[in-house]
Amino acid sequence: MAEQNFPQGQLMAGKRGLIMGVANKNSIAWAIARQLSAQGAELAFTYQGDALLRRVKPLAESVGSDILCECDVTNDDTMDATFKTLKDKWGKIDFLVHAIAFAGKDQLAGSFIENTTREGFKSALDISAYSFVDAGRRAAEIMNDGGAMVTLTYLGSERVIPNYNVMGVAKAALEASTRYMAADLGPRQIRVNAISAGPIKTLAAAGIGSGRHMFRFNKAASAMQDNTDPMGVAGAALYLLSDLGLSCTGETHHVDGGFHAIGMPQEGPLRESMPD
Ligand code: NAD
C-alpha cells in the first residue's frame, strides 16, 4: 500500500478532524488518513501507548500533523485529554474517524458459546463498540454542524464467520450504535456512517484464528474474486466524510469486493472443490 498514490484534490480543504486507530502503516485508519490528507484535510491522531508512538509519529509527521494524543479508549482521563487538546488547538473539528477494535485472542478462536467469557464479552463490546459512542459524543461537542463521523465494521456482525465470535457481536452493536448516533446528531446535519470492509492484512486481523483461510475464501467467493483494497476503504471514507456524502447517514456501506452480496459462489474452482 505504501507505494500507492491517493487521488489528490480539495474535497477536504478547510476541514479538520481526528483519526483514532493508526497502529502502523498497514492500519486501515492510515489509508484513510492519507486519502483525507491528499484532499486537503488537516489531521490529528491518537495512539495507544508509547509502544505505538514510535510508529505513529513519523506517519503523522509525513502528512504534516503535529497533534498526537495518547489515548486508550478504556481510560476516561486520556479521552478527556484528547478532546481537550483538540478544543484548545483548533476550537472546532469537522470529522472523526474511529478505527478501533479489540478482543482477547482466546475469544477469537473455536466455539463462540464455549469460549466467550463475561470479561471477554465486556471488554470486546467496551473497546470495539462503546468507544465509538463515547468518542462520538465528545467529538460532537466540538464539531461544526454539517460534520461527519465514520467507523469500521465487518460482515461478522451480520453472518457467522468462524473464529470472529464475540467480535461479530461487538460489530453488530457498533452498527446499531451508528444508526442511533445518526438519529441523535442528524438535526445538526452531522452524519454518522460505518464502512464494512472485507479482510485486510493488519495487526488486528492477525489476531483472528484461521485468518489465512479467511483471505483465501474471500478471494475465491467474492463477486470481484479478489481481496479488499484499502484504497477502496479510504475512498469510501472520503465520500462519507466529505460533502460528497451529503444526505447519507446511519448507513453501513460494504467495501468488500461484493462478498456480502453472494449467496452461493459461481461455477469455478471453489464449487469444483466440493464433494458430490
Ligand atoms: P489495526 O491493528 O491497524 O488497528 C486497530 C487499532 O485499534 C490499533 O491502532 C489499536 O491501537 C487500536 N486499539 C485497540 N484497543 C484500543 C484501546 N483500548 N484504546 C485505543 N486504541 C485501541 O487494525 P485494522 O484492521 O486497521 O483495524 C481498524 C478497524 O477496522 C477495527 O475496528 C477493525 O475491526 C476494522 N476492520 C478491520 C478489517 C480487517 O480485515 N483488517 C476488516 C473490517 C473491519
Side-chain angles (χ1 to χ4, degrees):
M1 194 177 68
E3 307 77 38
Q4 284 173 313
N5 291 318
F6 287 80
Q8 307 275 317
Q10 293 298 311
L11 288 170
M12 296 299 290
K15 293 189 196 288
R16 291 169 157 168
L18 177 64
I19 311 282
M20 303 181 81
V22 176
N24 58 37
K25 67 178 174 50
N26 299 320
S27 294
I28 295 174
W30 176 237
I32 293 172
R34 286 183 66 198
Q35 178 59 93
L36 296 175
S37 169
Q39 292 286 338
E42 236 181 298
L43 305 176
F45 292 85
T46 62
Y47 64 93
Q48 187 197 5
D50 284 342
L52 290 180
L53 177 61
R54 195 167 53 87
R55 297 199 185 280
V56 181
K57 193 162 186 266
L59 296 176
E61 283 171 355
S62 75
V63 291
S65 170
D66 62 356
I67 308 184
L68 266 168
C69 306
E70 179 170 7
C71 183
D72 184 320
V73 295
T74 62
N75 178 331
D76 283 336
D77 292 343
T78 61
M79 287 287 273
D80 290 345
T82 295
F83 286 91
K84 182 174 183 311
T85 300
L86 292 182
K87 193 175 179 191
D88 291 348
K89 294 239 184 203
W90 284 344
K92 292 279 187 187
I93 63 170
D94 301 287
F95 62 89
L96 169 71
V97 174
H98 172 276
I100 286 175
F102 176 81
K105 225 172 168 150
D106 58 322
Q107 306 291 295
L108 296 174
S111 159
F112 169 70
I113 195 169
E114 294 295 338
N115 294 349
T116 306
T117 62
R118 187 189 301 271
E119 275 317 304
F121 190 98
K122 276 161 67 174
S123 142
L125 272 280
D126 182 18
I127 296 172
S128 316
Y130 178 69
S131 67
F132 186 44
V133 183
D134 194 19
R137 187 187 62 256
R138 293 165 192 272
E141 283 169 9
I142 53 168
M143 191 171 277
N144 286 311
D145 289 359
M149 305 181 188
V150 155
T151 188
L152 270 299
T153 185
Y154 177 59
L155 189 71
S157 60
E158 304 166 54
R159 310 213 202 132
V160 172
I161 304 287
N163 302 314
Y164 202 64
N165 296 2
V166 71
M167 189 56 80
V169 180
K171 292 301 193 192
L174 179 68
E175 290 168 24
S177 301
T178 299
R179 292 186 283 273
Y180 280 92
M181 290 163 70
D184 282 346
L185 298 174
R188 288 180 52 199
Q189 309 303 310
I190 292 176
R191 296 175 296 100
V192 187
N193 292 289
I195 298 172
S196 184
I200 292 171
K201 285 185 180 148
T202 62
L203 263 187
I208 302 160
S210 76
R212 210 167 71 89
H213 177 68
M214 204 162 156
F215 288 106
R216 286 172 54 214
F217 188 81
N218 207 84
K219 183 163 183 172
S222 65
M224 297 180 76
Q225 306 211 331
D226 209 348
N227 276 308
T228 298
D229 191 325
M231 289 276 286
V233 179
L238 172 62
Y239 153 65
L240 292 169
L241 294 172
S242 70
D243 292 344
L244 289 178
L246 285 179
S247 295
C248 179
T249 197
E251 178 73 347
T252 297
H253 175 61
H254 294 85
V255 180
D256 63 356
F259 184 89
H260 72 283
I262 302 297
M264 184 168 139
Q266 304 282 345
E267 282 178 33
L270 193 62
R271 270 183 49 185
E272 299 316 313
S273 68
M274 306 281 166
D276 283 336

Short mmCIF file of all heavy atoms in Angstrom, two decimals, residues 20-24 26-30 46-48 52 71-74 98-102 127-128 151-155 164 167 171 174 195-205 208 214-215, ligand 1:
data_model
loop_
_atom_site.label_atom_id
_atom_site.label_comp_id
_atom_site.label_asym_id
_atom_site.label_seq_id
_atom_site.Cartn_x
_atom_site.Cartn_y
_atom_site.Cartn_z
N MET A 20 -8.58 8.10 14.89
CA MET A 20 -8.32 7.20 16.02
C MET A 20 -8.12 5.79 15.48
O MET A 20 -9.01 5.25 14.82
CB MET A 20 -9.50 7.19 17.00
CG MET A 20 -9.88 8.54 17.54
SD MET A 20 -11.26 8.48 18.73
CE MET A 20 -10.40 7.98 20.22
N GLY A 21 -6.93 5.20 15.72
CA GLY A 21 -6.76 3.80 15.35
C GLY A 21 -5.61 3.50 14.42
O GLY A 21 -5.55 2.40 13.86
N VAL A 22 -4.67 4.45 14.27
CA VAL A 22 -3.46 4.10 13.49
C VAL A 22 -2.50 3.37 14.44
O VAL A 22 -2.15 3.89 15.50
CB VAL A 22 -2.77 5.34 12.90
CG1 VAL A 22 -1.47 4.93 12.19
CG2 VAL A 22 -3.69 6.08 11.95
N ALA A 23 -2.10 2.16 14.05
CA ALA A 23 -1.07 1.43 14.79
C ALA A 23 0.23 1.40 14.00
O ALA A 23 1.32 1.47 14.56
CB ALA A 23 -1.52 0.00 15.09
N ASN A 24 0.10 1.29 12.68
CA ASN A 24 1.28 1.25 11.80
C ASN A 24 0.82 1.55 10.36
O ASN A 24 -0.35 1.87 10.13
CB ASN A 24 2.00 -0.10 11.90
CG ASN A 24 1.07 -1.25 11.55
OD1 ASN A 24 0.23 -1.14 10.65
ND2 ASN A 24 1.20 -2.36 12.26
N ASN A 26 0.15 -0.27 7.96
CA ASN A 26 -0.86 -1.18 7.39
C ASN A 26 -2.26 -0.92 7.94
O ASN A 26 -3.23 -1.51 7.46
CB ASN A 26 -0.49 -2.63 7.69
CG ASN A 26 0.83 -3.01 7.08
OD1 ASN A 26 1.11 -2.61 5.94
ND2 ASN A 26 1.66 -3.74 7.80
N SER A 27 -2.38 -0.06 8.93
CA SER A 27 -3.69 0.20 9.54
C SER A 27 -4.65 0.80 8.52
O SER A 27 -4.27 1.67 7.72
CB SER A 27 -3.55 1.19 10.70
OG SER A 27 -2.80 0.63 11.75
N ILE A 28 -5.91 0.37 8.61
CA ILE A 28 -6.94 0.94 7.73
C ILE A 28 -7.04 2.45 7.98
O ILE A 28 -7.20 3.24 7.05
CB ILE A 28 -8.29 0.23 7.95
CG1 ILE A 28 -8.18 -1.24 7.53
CG2 ILE A 28 -9.40 0.93 7.19
CD1 ILE A 28 -9.42 -2.08 7.84
N ALA A 29 -6.92 2.84 9.25
CA ALA A 29 -7.00 4.27 9.59
C ALA A 29 -5.92 5.07 8.89
O ALA A 29 -6.13 6.24 8.56
CB ALA A 29 -6.89 4.45 11.10
N TRP A 30 -4.77 4.44 8.64
CA TRP A 30 -3.69 5.17 7.98
C TRP A 30 -4.03 5.38 6.48
O TRP A 30 -3.76 6.45 5.92
CB TRP A 30 -2.35 4.46 8.17
CG TRP A 30 -1.22 5.13 7.44
CD1 TRP A 30 -0.39 4.56 6.51
CD2 TRP A 30 -0.81 6.50 7.56
NE1 TRP A 30 0.50 5.50 6.04
CE2 TRP A 30 0.27 6.70 6.67
CE3 TRP A 30 -1.26 7.58 8.31
CZ2 TRP A 30 0.91 7.92 6.52
CZ3 TRP A 30 -0.62 8.81 8.17
CH2 TRP A 30 0.46 8.97 7.29
N THR A 46 -4.64 9.89 17.37
CA THR A 46 -4.41 9.28 18.68
C THR A 46 -3.50 8.07 18.47
O THR A 46 -3.42 7.52 17.37
CB THR A 46 -5.71 8.81 19.35
OG1 THR A 46 -6.33 7.81 18.53
CG2 THR A 46 -6.67 9.97 19.59
N TYR A 47 -2.84 7.69 19.54
CA TYR A 47 -2.06 6.44 19.53
C TYR A 47 -2.25 5.77 20.87
O TYR A 47 -2.48 6.43 21.89
CB TYR A 47 -0.58 6.70 19.23
CG TYR A 47 0.11 7.52 20.29
CD1 TYR A 47 0.79 6.92 21.35
CD2 TYR A 47 0.06 8.91 20.26
CE1 TYR A 47 1.40 7.67 22.34
CE2 TYR A 47 0.66 9.67 21.24
CZ TYR A 47 1.33 9.05 22.28
OH TYR A 47 1.92 9.80 23.27
N GLN A 48 -2.18 4.44 20.85
CA GLN A 48 -2.45 3.67 22.07
C GLN A 48 -1.15 3.28 22.76
O GLN A 48 -0.62 2.21 22.51
CB GLN A 48 -3.26 2.42 21.72
CG GLN A 48 -3.73 1.64 22.93
CD GLN A 48 -4.15 0.23 22.57
OE1 GLN A 48 -4.01 -0.19 21.42
NE2 GLN A 48 -4.67 -0.50 23.53
N LEU A 52 3.40 2.29 20.51
CA LEU A 52 2.94 2.62 19.15
C LEU A 52 3.36 4.02 18.71
O LEU A 52 3.36 4.31 17.51
CB LEU A 52 1.41 2.47 19.05
CG LEU A 52 0.91 1.01 19.12
CD1 LEU A 52 -0.60 0.95 19.00
CD2 LEU A 52 1.53 0.16 18.01
N CYS A 71 -4.05 7.92 23.73
CA CYS A 71 -5.44 7.69 24.11
C CYS A 71 -5.76 6.21 24.14
O CYS A 71 -5.64 5.51 23.14
CB CYS A 71 -6.36 8.40 23.10
SG CYS A 71 -8.09 8.25 23.53
N ASP A 72 -6.15 5.76 25.32
CA ASP A 72 -6.70 4.41 25.47
C ASP A 72 -8.19 4.62 25.71
O ASP A 72 -8.57 5.30 26.68
CB ASP A 72 -6.04 3.71 26.66
CG ASP A 72 -6.51 2.26 26.78
OD1 ASP A 72 -7.72 2.02 26.58
OD2 ASP A 72 -5.68 1.39 27.08
N VAL A 73 -9.02 4.03 24.86
CA VAL A 73 -10.46 4.34 24.94
C VAL A 73 -11.12 3.80 26.21
O VAL A 73 -12.26 4.16 26.51
CB VAL A 73 -11.22 3.85 23.68
CG1 VAL A 73 -10.77 4.60 22.45
CG2 VAL A 73 -11.09 2.33 23.51
N THR A 74 -10.40 2.95 26.96
CA THR A 74 -10.97 2.47 28.22
C THR A 74 -10.61 3.40 29.38
O THR A 74 -11.02 3.15 30.51
CB THR A 74 -10.46 1.04 28.57
OG1 THR A 74 -9.04 1.10 28.74
CG2 THR A 74 -10.80 0.05 27.47
N HIS A 98 -13.11 6.58 13.47
CA HIS A 98 -12.95 5.62 14.57
C HIS A 98 -12.62 4.26 13.95
O HIS A 98 -13.45 3.69 13.23
CB HIS A 98 -14.26 5.55 15.37
CG HIS A 98 -14.32 4.47 16.41
ND1 HIS A 98 -14.67 3.17 16.11
CD2 HIS A 98 -14.07 4.50 17.74
CE1 HIS A 98 -14.64 2.45 17.22
NE2 HIS A 98 -14.28 3.23 18.22
N ALA A 99 -11.40 3.79 14.17
CA ALA A 99 -10.97 2.50 13.58
C ALA A 99 -10.31 1.69 14.68
O ALA A 99 -9.12 1.37 14.62
CB ALA A 99 -10.02 2.77 12.42
N ILE A 100 -11.09 1.37 15.70
CA ILE A 100 -10.57 0.75 16.92
C ILE A 100 -11.39 -0.50 17.25
O ILE A 100 -12.63 -0.46 17.23
CB ILE A 100 -10.64 1.77 18.08
CG1 ILE A 100 -9.54 2.82 17.89
CG2 ILE A 100 -10.52 1.07 19.43
CD1 ILE A 100 -9.57 3.93 18.90
N ALA A 101 -10.70 -1.58 17.53
CA ALA A 101 -11.39 -2.80 17.98
C ALA A 101 -10.39 -3.65 18.74
O ALA A 101 -9.18 -3.59 18.48
CB ALA A 101 -11.92 -3.58 16.77
N PHE A 102 -10.92 -4.41 19.67
CA PHE A 102 -10.06 -5.36 20.41
C PHE A 102 -10.90 -6.46 21.04
O PHE A 102 -11.97 -6.20 21.58
CB PHE A 102 -9.27 -4.66 21.52
CG PHE A 102 -8.45 -5.62 22.34
CD1 PHE A 102 -7.22 -6.07 21.87
CD2 PHE A 102 -8.93 -6.13 23.54
CE1 PHE A 102 -6.47 -6.99 22.60
CE2 PHE A 102 -8.19 -7.05 24.27
CZ PHE A 102 -6.96 -7.48 23.80
N ILE A 127 -14.44 -1.79 24.14
CA ILE A 127 -13.41 -1.19 23.29
C ILE A 127 -13.89 -1.04 21.84
O ILE A 127 -13.59 -0.05 21.18
CB ILE A 127 -12.11 -2.03 23.35
CG1 ILE A 127 -11.54 -2.00 24.77
CG2 ILE A 127 -11.08 -1.52 22.34
CD1 ILE A 127 -10.37 -2.92 25.01
N SER A 128 -14.66 -2.01 21.36
CA SER A 128 -14.96 -2.04 19.92
C SER A 128 -16.28 -1.36 19.56
O SER A 128 -16.48 -1.02 18.40
CB SER A 128 -15.00 -3.50 19.44
OG SER A 128 -13.93 -4.23 19.97
N THR A 151 -17.01 4.92 11.25
CA THR A 151 -16.37 3.83 11.97
C THR A 151 -16.18 2.64 11.03
O THR A 151 -16.73 2.62 9.92
CB THR A 151 -17.20 3.42 13.21
OG1 THR A 151 -16.44 2.48 13.99
CG2 THR A 151 -18.52 2.77 12.83
N LEU A 152 -15.39 1.66 11.47
CA LEU A 152 -15.06 0.49 10.64
C LEU A 152 -15.70 -0.75 11.23
O LEU A 152 -15.51 -1.03 12.42
CB LEU A 152 -13.54 0.31 10.60
CG LEU A 152 -12.76 1.01 9.48
CD1 LEU A 152 -13.20 0.51 8.11
CD2 LEU A 152 -12.90 2.52 9.52
N THR A 153 -16.41 -1.50 10.39
CA THR A 153 -17.04 -2.70 10.87
C THR A 153 -16.74 -3.86 9.91
O THR A 153 -15.98 -3.69 8.95
CB THR A 153 -18.56 -2.47 11.06
OG1 THR A 153 -19.13 -3.65 11.64
CG2 THR A 153 -19.27 -2.16 9.75
N TYR A 154 -17.33 -5.02 10.19
CA TYR A 154 -17.07 -6.21 9.36
C TYR A 154 -18.31 -7.09 9.32
O TYR A 154 -19.10 -7.12 10.28
CB TYR A 154 -15.85 -6.98 9.92
CG TYR A 154 -15.56 -8.25 9.18
CD1 TYR A 154 -15.29 -8.23 7.82
CD2 TYR A 154 -15.59 -9.48 9.84
CE1 TYR A 154 -15.05 -9.41 7.12
CE2 TYR A 154 -15.35 -10.66 9.15
CZ TYR A 154 -15.09 -10.61 7.79
OH TYR A 154 -14.88 -11.77 7.10
N LEU A 155 -18.43 -7.83 8.25
CA LEU A 155 -19.59 -8.69 7.97
C LEU A 155 -19.91 -9.70 9.07
O LEU A 155 -21.04 -10.20 9.15
CB LEU A 155 -19.30 -9.44 6.65
CG LEU A 155 -20.42 -10.24 6.02
CD1 LEU A 155 -21.49 -9.32 5.45
CD2 LEU A 155 -19.87 -11.15 4.92
N TYR A 164 -14.56 -15.40 14.46
CA TYR A 164 -14.76 -13.97 14.69
C TYR A 164 -15.55 -13.75 15.98
O TYR A 164 -15.39 -12.74 16.67
CB TYR A 164 -15.46 -13.34 13.48
CG TYR A 164 -15.25 -11.85 13.36
CD1 TYR A 164 -13.97 -11.32 13.16
CD2 TYR A 164 -16.32 -10.96 13.47
CE1 TYR A 164 -13.77 -9.96 13.06
CE2 TYR A 164 -16.12 -9.59 13.37
CZ TYR A 164 -14.85 -9.10 13.16
OH TYR A 164 -14.66 -7.74 13.06
N MET A 167 -16.35 -10.74 18.52
CA MET A 167 -16.14 -9.50 17.75
C MET A 167 -17.31 -9.26 16.80
O MET A 167 -17.67 -8.12 16.52
CB MET A 167 -14.81 -9.59 16.98
CG MET A 167 -14.40 -8.29 16.34
SD MET A 167 -14.29 -6.91 17.49
CE MET A 167 -12.71 -7.22 18.20
N LYS A 171 -19.44 -5.91 16.67
CA LYS A 171 -19.66 -5.15 15.43
C LYS A 171 -21.15 -4.92 15.20
O LYS A 171 -21.54 -3.89 14.65
CB LYS A 171 -19.02 -5.86 14.23
CG LYS A 171 -17.50 -5.89 14.25
CD LYS A 171 -16.87 -4.51 14.28
CE LYS A 171 -15.37 -4.54 13.99
NZ LYS A 171 -14.73 -3.24 14.29
N LEU A 174 -21.90 -2.06 17.27
CA LEU A 174 -21.30 -0.86 16.67
C LEU A 174 -22.19 -0.32 15.55
O LEU A 174 -22.43 0.88 15.43
CB LEU A 174 -19.91 -1.20 16.14
CG LEU A 174 -19.13 -0.09 15.44
CD1 LEU A 174 -18.73 1.01 16.44
CD2 LEU A 174 -17.87 -0.64 14.76
N ILE A 195 -18.31 1.77 7.67
CA ILE A 195 -17.82 1.08 6.47
C ILE A 195 -17.55 -0.37 6.86
O ILE A 195 -16.79 -0.63 7.80
CB ILE A 195 -16.52 1.72 5.95
CG1 ILE A 195 -16.76 3.17 5.55
CG2 ILE A 195 -15.96 0.92 4.76
CD1 ILE A 195 -15.48 3.93 5.21
N SER A 196 -18.18 -1.30 6.16
CA SER A 196 -17.97 -2.72 6.42
C SER A 196 -16.93 -3.22 5.41
O SER A 196 -17.25 -3.48 4.24
CB SER A 196 -19.29 -3.49 6.29
OG SER A 196 -19.09 -4.84 6.64
N ALA A 197 -15.69 -3.29 5.87
CA ALA A 197 -14.57 -3.65 4.97
C ALA A 197 -14.39 -5.16 4.93
O ALA A 197 -14.59 -5.85 5.93
CB ALA A 197 -13.30 -2.98 5.48
N GLY A 198 -13.98 -5.67 3.78
CA GLY A 198 -13.57 -7.06 3.68
C GLY A 198 -12.22 -7.24 4.37
O GLY A 198 -11.58 -6.26 4.75
N PRO A 199 -11.76 -8.50 4.53
CA PRO A 199 -10.50 -8.74 5.24
C PRO A 199 -9.30 -8.02 4.60
O PRO A 199 -9.13 -8.05 3.38
CB PRO A 199 -10.32 -10.26 5.13
CG PRO A 199 -11.68 -10.80 4.88
CD PRO A 199 -12.42 -9.74 4.11
N ILE A 200 -8.51 -7.37 5.46
CA ILE A 200 -7.30 -6.65 5.04
C ILE A 200 -6.20 -7.04 6.02
O ILE A 200 -6.46 -7.11 7.24
CB ILE A 200 -7.55 -5.12 5.08
CG1 ILE A 200 -8.56 -4.73 3.98
CG2 ILE A 200 -6.26 -4.34 4.92
CD1 ILE A 200 -9.05 -3.29 4.07
N LYS A 201 -4.97 -7.26 5.51
CA LYS A 201 -3.90 -7.72 6.40
C LYS A 201 -3.39 -6.59 7.29
O LYS A 201 -2.66 -5.71 6.83
CB LYS A 201 -2.76 -8.32 5.57
CG LYS A 201 -3.15 -9.67 5.05
CD LYS A 201 -2.06 -10.40 4.31
CE LYS A 201 -2.64 -11.74 3.86
NZ LYS A 201 -2.09 -12.24 2.61
N THR A 202 -3.80 -6.62 8.55
CA THR A 202 -3.38 -5.63 9.55
C THR A 202 -3.07 -6.37 10.85
O THR A 202 -3.33 -7.57 10.96
CB THR A 202 -4.52 -4.63 9.85
OG1 THR A 202 -5.62 -5.36 10.41
CG2 THR A 202 -4.97 -3.88 8.62
N LEU A 203 -2.58 -5.61 11.83
CA LEU A 203 -2.32 -6.21 13.15
C LEU A 203 -3.58 -6.83 13.73
O LEU A 203 -3.56 -7.95 14.23
CB LEU A 203 -1.90 -5.09 14.12
CG LEU A 203 -0.43 -4.84 14.39
CD1 LEU A 203 -0.30 -3.81 15.51
CD2 LEU A 203 0.27 -6.14 14.79
N ALA A 204 -4.70 -6.09 13.66
CA ALA A 204 -5.95 -6.58 14.26
C ALA A 204 -6.38 -7.88 13.58
O ALA A 204 -6.82 -8.83 14.24
CB ALA A 204 -7.04 -5.52 14.15
N ALA A 205 -6.25 -7.94 12.24
CA ALA A 205 -6.70 -9.14 11.52
C ALA A 205 -5.85 -10.35 11.90
O ALA A 205 -6.34 -11.49 11.91
CB ALA A 205 -6.63 -8.89 10.01
N ILE A 208 -7.08 -12.93 14.58
CA ILE A 208 -8.24 -13.80 14.39
C ILE A 208 -7.79 -15.17 13.91
O ILE A 208 -7.05 -15.27 12.92
CB ILE A 208 -9.22 -13.16 13.37
CG1 ILE A 208 -9.66 -11.78 13.88
CG2 ILE A 208 -10.44 -14.06 13.14
CD1 ILE A 208 -10.21 -10.89 12.81
N MET A 214 -9.42 -17.14 5.78
CA MET A 214 -10.40 -16.07 5.56
C MET A 214 -10.06 -15.28 4.28
O MET A 214 -10.93 -14.99 3.47
CB MET A 214 -10.32 -15.14 6.77
CG MET A 214 -11.51 -14.33 7.07
SD MET A 214 -11.27 -13.80 8.80
CE MET A 214 -12.25 -12.36 8.79
N PHE A 215 -8.78 -14.96 4.11
CA PHE A 215 -8.36 -14.21 2.92
C PHE A 215 -8.58 -15.05 1.66
O PHE A 215 -9.08 -14.57 0.65
CB PHE A 215 -6.89 -13.78 3.03
CG PHE A 215 -6.68 -12.69 4.04
CD1 PHE A 215 -6.10 -12.95 5.26
CD2 PHE A 215 -7.09 -11.39 3.77
CE1 PHE A 215 -5.94 -11.94 6.21
CE2 PHE A 215 -6.93 -10.38 4.70
CZ PHE A 215 -6.35 -10.66 5.93
P1 NAD B 1 -5.02 -2.16 13.38
O1 NAD B 1 -4.48 -3.16 14.33
O2 NAD B 1 -4.08 -1.47 12.49
O3 NAD B 1 -5.89 -1.08 14.15
C1 NAD B 1 -6.61 -1.36 15.33
C2 NAD B 1 -6.40 -0.16 16.23
O4 NAD B 1 -7.19 -0.27 17.43
C3 NAD B 1 -4.93 -0.01 16.69
O5 NAD B 1 -4.46 1.26 16.33
C4 NAD B 1 -5.01 -0.16 18.20
O6 NAD B 1 -4.06 0.66 18.87
C5 NAD B 1 -6.43 0.34 18.44
N1 NAD B 1 -6.92 -0.04 19.77
C6 NAD B 1 -7.20 -1.28 20.25
N2 NAD B 1 -7.57 -1.21 21.54
C7 NAD B 1 -7.53 0.12 21.88
C8 NAD B 1 -7.77 0.85 23.07
N3 NAD B 1 -8.14 0.25 24.22
N4 NAD B 1 -7.65 2.20 23.04
C9 NAD B 1 -7.26 2.84 21.92
N5 NAD B 1 -7.00 2.20 20.75
C10 NAD B 1 -7.12 0.86 20.75
O7 NAD B 1 -6.11 -2.98 12.54
P2 NAD B 1 -7.22 -2.52 11.47
O8 NAD B 1 -7.58 -3.77 10.77
O9 NAD B 1 -6.77 -1.34 10.70
O10 NAD B 1 -8.44 -2.16 12.42
C11 NAD B 1 -9.14 -0.92 12.35
C12 NAD B 1 -10.64 -1.17 12.39
O11 NAD B 1 -11.04 -1.80 11.17
C13 NAD B 1 -11.10 -2.09 13.52
O12 NAD B 1 -12.33 -1.62 14.03
C14 NAD B 1 -11.32 -3.41 12.79
O13 NAD B 1 -12.24 -4.26 13.45
C15 NAD B 1 -11.88 -2.88 11.49
N6 NAD B 1 -11.89 -3.83 10.38
C16 NAD B 1 -10.76 -4.50 10.03
C17 NAD B 1 -10.79 -5.39 8.98
C18 NAD B 1 -9.55 -6.15 8.57
O14 NAD B 1 -9.68 -7.18 7.90
N7 NAD B 1 -8.36 -5.70 8.91
C19 NAD B 1 -11.99 -5.61 8.28
C20 NAD B 1 -13.13 -4.92 8.65
C21 NAD B 1 -13.07 -4.02 9.71
#
